[in-house]
Amino acid sequence: MRQRLIIAAIVVGVLVLIGVVIWTLLNVLGSHPAAGGSPSPTTSASQGPLPRDEAAKNFQAGECFADFNPNNATAKAVACNTPHSAQLVAVFNYGADDSFPGTKALGEKGREVCHGATLNAAAANYQLLQQNVYPSSSSWDRGDRRVDCFIVVDSGNTIKDDVLKK
C-alpha cells in the first residue's frame, strides 16, 4: 500500500511538472509578439491632455493605458513614460460590409496583427504579453469591426516606457 502511494505521488508530481513546462512554453512561444515585422501605425493627433478616460472605440495605436482591463468599455490613457500596464501597438479594421468571420478567424487575425507590430529596445526590459481584443458576433452586428493588439504585463502598472518602435 505504501509503495502504491509513493508511485502515485511520483506520477502526480511528474504530471504537474509536465503541465508547468507546457504552460511555460505556451506563454513564451505564443504570447510574445515577434520582434520584427512591418511598422505599426503610430498615434495620430492628440485627443486631449493626459491622463484621460477614453472609450475603447477611440483607442489609437501607440497609446498607453494604466490599470488596463480589455473587458472595459473605457480605459485610462496615460503618457507612455509614466507607469502603465498596456500599450496598443497595432490595429486592424475590417470593412463595414464584411460579414462576421467567426471567433477563430478573429483570433488568428489578432495574432497576425500583433506579429506585424515592431517593438523597440525598451521592450526587452519587461516581461510583455500579447493581448488581442476583437468583436463578438453581437458587437459586430452593432458595427464593431476592430481588432486590437495590446502589449501588456500580467500585473500592475510596471511599464514605464513606450515600447512601440516608431
Side-chain angles (χ1 to χ4, degrees), residues 12-31:
V12 168
V14 168
L15 290 174
V16 168
L17 182 60
I18 289 171
V20 168
V21 168
I22 290 171
W23 179 80
T24 301
L25 286 174
L26 288 174
N27 278 326
V28 169
L29 298 176
S31 297

Side-chain angles (χ1 to χ4, degrees), residues 42-121:
T42 58
T43 303
S44 62
S46 173
Q47 295 181 346
L50 296 173
R52 69 174 174 274
D53 288 332
E54 188 171 334
K57 67 181 182 171
N58 297 327
F59 292 172
Q60 296 179 30
E63 286 187 307
C64 296
F65 302 94
D67 303 316
F68 181 71
N69 180 341
N71 298 315
N72 290 347
T74 61
K76 182 179 177 184
V78 297
C80 290
N81 63 353
T82 63
H84 58 281
S85 60
Q87 183 169 2
L88 179 58
V89 297
V91 175
F92 177 84
N93 287 296
Y94 282 92
D97 294 334
D98 290 341
S99 59
F100 184 70
T103 303
K104 183 177 179 182
L106 287 168
E108 290 171 4
K109 178 56 79 176
R111 286 185 289 282
E112 177 186 317
V113 169
C114 279
H115 184 74
T118 303
L119 304 183
N120 62 30

Side-chain angles (χ1 to χ4, degrees), residues 143-155:
D144 183 7
R145 302 286 193 274
R146 182 176 166 145
V147 177
D148 290 340
C149 173
F150 291 90
I151 296 302
V152 301
V153 289
D154 60 359
S155 65

